[in-house]
């Protein structure tokens, strides 16, 4: 039977992605006794966002804060966000601590189920511990992937396994040649065989690509 907290998270349109009982070295605020990472995996969260806001105009961060604040209040938890502080909270470290995957050659976290098609939107911090079995990330899927198509699929070779050429990626997206990436999502992500069933639909992919470019202009 699914834990009631997970049920509430799913009903809100989010996916529980990793969880653990923090230790002092985890740098979790508020002296929390349990942390659950939530985000999007598959279409549920974006569908709710698109029903409640205008994806062509509204920021997902603002909507996330409003929805998750209500969710956290109902669960008697506190929420923190990856866009909340500078420097940001160590969400990727928390993800690996919570069994939510490994570091991929692209630098993104690769989830054992969702592959590269997930994102962390918030962490719920609870003042009490839950009797929830720890999640196991399993073997690193990239270590058994000899071809590593993710490193050769990018039209402008923005990934080399050591870093990410943000400027080359953004420049390509702004060009006429970048149409397939803008409209369908990152080709490097699509090349990964893990989690293919959770790839973003075109409307969601384009939304995130436009948000990526807008952030580059503001930086």
């Amino acid at each position: 039977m699914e834990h009631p907290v997970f049920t509430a998270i799913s009903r809100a349109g989010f996916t529980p992605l990793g969880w653990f009982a923090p230790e002092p070295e985890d740098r979790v605020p508020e002296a929390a006794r349990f942390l659950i990472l939530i985000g999007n995996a598959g279409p549920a969260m974006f569908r709710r966002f698109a029903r409640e806001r205008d994806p062509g105009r509204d920021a997902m961060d603002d909507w996330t804060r409003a929805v998750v604040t209500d969710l956290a209040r109902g669960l008697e938890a506190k929420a923190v966000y990856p866009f909340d502080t500078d420097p940001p909270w160590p969400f990727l470290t928390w993800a690996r601590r919570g069994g939510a995957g490994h570091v991929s050659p692209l630098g993104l976290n690769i989830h054992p189920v969702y592959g590269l098609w997930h994102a962390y939107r918030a962490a719920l911090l609870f003042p009490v511990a839950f009797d929830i079995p720890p999640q196991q990330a399993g073997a690193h899927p990239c270590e058994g992937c000899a071809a590593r198509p993710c490193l050769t699929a990018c039209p402008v070779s923005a990934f080399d396994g050591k870093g990410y050429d943000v400027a080359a990626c953004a420049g390509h997206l702004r060009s006429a040649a970048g149409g397939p990436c803008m409209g369908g999502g990152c080709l490097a992500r699509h090349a990964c065989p893990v989690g293919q069933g959770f790839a973003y639909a075109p409307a969601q992919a384009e939304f995130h690509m436009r948000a990526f470019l807008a952030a580059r202009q503001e930086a």
Side-chain angles (χ1 to χ4, degrees):
M1 180 180 295
E2 186 177 67
H3 195 282
V5 170
F6 288 172
T7 300
I9 291 168
S10 298
R11 286 176 176 170
F14 294 87
T15 300
L17 292 169
W19 49 88
F20 61 95
E23 300 292 342
E25 60 268 23
D26 293 316
R27 295 195 296 139
V28 174
E30 303 293 324
R33 296 190 61 195
F34 206 78
L35 180 150
I36 301 177
L37 293 165
I38 66 173
N40 66 278
M45 190 203 74
F46 186 78
R47 284 175 179 167
R48 179 177 176 183
F49 169 69
R51 286 196 306 267
E52 298 178 0
R53 300 289 177 94
D54 179 358
R57 182 189 63 197
D58 296 325
M60 183 172 282
D61 289 352
D62 295 339
W63 173 85
T64 297
R65 191 189 299 277
V67 173
V68 175
T69 295
D70 287 344
L71 173 65
R73 185 181 300 115
L75 294 173
E76 298 182 354
K78 175 181 173 61
V80 296
Y81 305 91
F83 49 81
D84 223 9
T85 59
D86 187 14
W89 297 112
F91 268 73
L92 293 183
T93 301
W94 291 346
R96 293 187 285 276
R97 174 80 165 81
H102 306 272
V103 181
S104 75
L106 302 184
L108 301 170
N109 199 66
I110 183 165
H111 190 277
V113 176
Y114 308 120
L116 301 174
W117 299 104
H118 69 289
Y120 305 101
R121 300 298 174 192
L124 298 175
L125 312 179
F126 295 87
V128 297
F130 296 119
D131 185 19
I132 301 176
Q135 180 174 241
Q136 301 299 322
H140 198 317
C142 304
E143 292 180 354
C145 181
R148 297 206 168 186
C150 62
L151 294 179
T152 56
C154 177
V156 291
S157 302
F159 302 99
D160 61 5
K162 298 178 182 178
Y164 169 39
D165 190 338
V166 179
C169 176
H172 178 68
L173 290 174
R174 293 189 185 101
S175 72
C181 297
M182 277 295 297
C186 174
L187 298 185
R189 280 188 176 189
H190 277 293
C192 176
V194 182
Q196 286 279 357
F198 297 93
Y200 298 160
Q204 185 174 0
E206 185 174 0
F207 171 83
H208 289 299
M209 287 302 196
R210 284 192 286 102
F212 167 76
L213 287 181
R216 303 288 77 72
Q217 292 172 348
E218 295 171 1

